[in-house]
Amino acid sequence: MPKSFVLVINSGSSSLKFAIIDSASGEAIVSGLGECFGLPEAVISWKYQGTKSQQVIEIKDNHHEYTIEKVVDLIESLALSKQLVAVGHRIVHGGEKFTSTVRIDDKVLAEIDALSSLAPLHNPAGVKGIKAALNAFPSLPQFAVFDTAFHQSMPDKAFTYGIPQPLYKEHGIRRYGFHGTSHYYVSREAAKMLGQTVEKSNIISVHLGNGASVCAVSAGRSVDTSMGFTPLAGLMMGTRCGDLDSGIIEFLIKKGWSQESVFETLNKKSGFLGVSGLTSDARGILEAMEGGHKGAKLAFDVFTYRVAKYIASYLVPLDKLDAIVFTGGIGENAQPIRSEIIKNLKLLGFVEDAVANQAARFGQSGIIAKSELLGAVVMVIPTNEEYVIAQQSVELL
């Protein structure tokens, strides 16, 4: 049976990630990144069968189009075009309009563009990527997979803010949640590891990376999640503050801060970076903490404490708990962070297996703690969002 490959595209404002995924196995045949768009150091890099290559981007604009043109050249040079059956696009915000993956046509493209007010940094870039791919692959069916779609199963009580209802009805202000493809994937992989169907599983998925979120998954459906109207809410992250008293915004503006400087600080200068005064990278935090850096230790403590609080609070929407699942760059690799979070959950009876926790890194799954009290385990499962995009694209074929 011939293999079915899907080109997966994730367009950012200054970057474009791409991968050619085997829709059956999830294997990345090719993976690459165009980055630093608009800067002199703009470059495209890719990996194929363990070999890394790169090419400097020599133009000043139209970087998304240029990157995809190079992807086309790469596909042709590797003789992969006959096996390519679809293009799948990761789109950050689908609002309430999109509750599942959809095939892209002119109407869908216009609706994604119209949702740009909800994700001004992400959806316009997604539209650029779609347009460039439609031009480059006019004969291939193309699909949009939305970060927010998985969370559209949340009940009203979970997504409603305590604000006047006209703000929701007229402007769509509500909790949307993000990292949907990651939470979807690991919750299903966790059910497999538990030897049960996803319909009978209750999972708390903990995606920890430069962006981070927690999701309560009951019977395979998102019932609550920590990110909100934007990805700024919830956990403290690499440069984002996470949950914050909104009165602080008014306070700073009255102190003479501009609106732009407030949100620049909350989105790009807070989190690990702001608290430590050192770095937004968890690896740098752990290294500096070992050297006695007080700011790094405080950032570590704030982060792990907040993650544990969210995990504990997400027992509320679940009838029972089968597993807590760590995923994402930090969740999959930072053993000291996982260990501290588990310690903070001691009242729930979780006991860490230190050897298993040390082993479950760098692509390895595993059970790293258990609670006799809850009859639940803590797992590490590497996420594979590109595989979800490829799978759902092929399913719609």
Side-chain angles (χ1 to χ4, degrees), residues 249-268:
I249 297 171
E250 179 189 24
F251 175 83
L252 290 175
I253 289 174
K254 285 183 176 179
K255 287 289 183 181
W257 286 47
S258 66
Q259 175 183 314
E260 291 76 15
S261 61
V262 170
F263 285 95
E264 173 83 6
T265 298
L266 300 184
N267 276 289
K268 298 182 179 179

Side-chain angles (χ1 to χ4, degrees), residues 61-74:
D61 50 20
N62 298 324
H63 295 100
H64 293 79
E65 293 88 341
Y66 182 81
T67 300
I68 289 179
E69 284 176 11
K70 293 304 170 185
V71 172
V72 173
D73 293 342
L74 183 60

Side-chain angles (χ1 to χ4, degrees), residues 52-97:
K52 295 181 179 180
S53 306
Q54 73 172 35
Q55 179 178 348
V56 174
I57 298 176
E58 298 176 345
I59 59 172
K60 293 184 179 180
D61 50 20
N62 298 324
H63 295 100
H64 293 79
E65 293 88 341
Y66 182 81
T67 300
I68 289 179
E69 284 176 11
K70 293 304 170 185
V71 172
V72 173
D73 293 342
L74 183 60
I75 289 169
E76 291 178 351
S77 69
L78 299 175
L80 296 174
S81 57
K82 290 184 179 179
Q83 293 164 291
L84 205 61
V85 298
V87 182
H89 296 265
R90 179 204 176 204
I91 302 298
V92 166
H93 219 306
E96 292 184 318
K97 179 70 179 179

Side-chain angles (χ1 to χ4, degrees), residues 305-353:
Y305 176 66
R306 285 196 179 190
V307 174
K309 279 208 304 181
Y310 257 102
I311 291 171
S313 72
Y314 280 0
L315 292 175
V316 173
L318 301 178
D319 295 329
K320 60 188 281 291
L321 179 66
D322 295 308
I324 297 166
V325 182
F326 286 108
T327 194
I330 296 172
E332 293 169 26
N333 300 305
Q335 173 266 328
I337 287 177
R338 297 191 307 237
S339 182
E340 186 67 16
I341 293 168
I342 293 168
K343 287 178 185 176
N344 283 331
L345 295 171
K346 58 184 179 295
L347 191 61
L348 300 180
F350 285 103
V351 178
E352 177 191 4
D353 182 334

Side-chain angles (χ1 to χ4, degrees), residues 135-383:
N135 185 55
F137 303 98
S139 63
L140 283 179
Q142 306 207 19
F143 301 89
V145 181
F146 300 90
D147 260 17
T148 51
F150 182 55
H151 303 298
Q152 285 298 301
S153 55
M154 285 192 294
D156 292 1
K157 64 183 178 182
F159 72 68
T160 300
Y161 288 125
I163 56 176
Q165 279 294 287
L167 290 175
Y168 164 55
K169 293 175 180 176
E170 296 172 19
H171 302 292
I173 299 176
R174 50 156 285 180
R175 182 181 303 281
Y176 287 101
F178 301 89
H179 293 139
T181 51
S182 179
H183 293 306
Y184 171 92
Y185 177 79
V186 299
S187 61
R188 279 142 180 82
E189 290 299 301
K192 291 178 187 177
M193 288 179 66
L194 292 167
Q196 59 193 44
T197 64
V198 70
E199 290 79 15
K200 292 185 178 180
S201 301
N202 288 271
I203 309 293
I204 297 176
S205 172
V206 186
H207 180 108
L208 305 180
N210 191 50
S213 66
V214 182
C215 180
V217 185
S218 177
R221 294 162 61 85
S222 171
V223 292
D224 207 345
T225 192
S226 58
M227 282 182 167
F229 180 68
T230 73
L232 186 61
L235 305 177
M236 187 180 89
M237 306 174 217
T239 62
R240 298 178 188 137
C241 63
D243 287 342
L244 184 80
D245 179 351
S246 55
I248 293 170
I249 297 171
E250 179 189 24
F251 175 83
L252 290 175
I253 289 174
K254 285 183 176 179
K255 287 289 183 181
W257 286 47
S258 66
Q259 175 183 314
E260 291 76 15
S261 61
V262 170
F263 285 95
E264 173 83 6
T265 298
L266 300 184
N267 276 289
K268 298 182 179 179
K269 298 179 181 178
S270 298
F272 275 142
L273 177 61
V275 176
S276 71
L278 188 66
T279 178
S280 63
D281 192 300
R283 291 165 295 188
I285 293 293
L286 293 173
E287 184 178 337
M289 191 174 72
E290 289 179 5
H293 193 285
K294 291 183 178 179
K297 178 62 166 62
L298 179 60
F300 172 87
D301 288 342
V302 172
F303 180 76
T304 53
Y305 176 66
R306 285 196 179 190
V307 174
K309 279 208 304 181
Y310 257 102
I311 291 171
S313 72
Y314 280 0
L315 292 175
V316 173
L318 301 178
D319 295 329
K320 60 188 281 291
L321 179 66
D322 295 308
I324 297 166
V325 182
F326 286 108
T327 194
I330 296 172
E332 293 169 26
N333 300 305
Q335 173 266 328
I337 287 177
R338 297 191 307 237
S339 182
E340 186 67 16
I341 293 168
I342 293 168
K343 287 178 185 176
N344 283 331
L345 295 171
K346 58 184 179 295
L347 191 61
L348 300 180
F350 285 103
V351 178
E352 177 191 4
D353 182 334
V355 174
N357 196 10
Q358 182 69 21
R361 296 184 297 160
F362 313 127
Q364 298 300 309
S365 299
I367 293 174
I368 63 171
K370 295 181 180 179
S371 168
E372 297 294 336
L373 177 65
L374 297 178
V377 299
V378 179
M379 296 175 166
V380 177
I381 299 177
T383 193

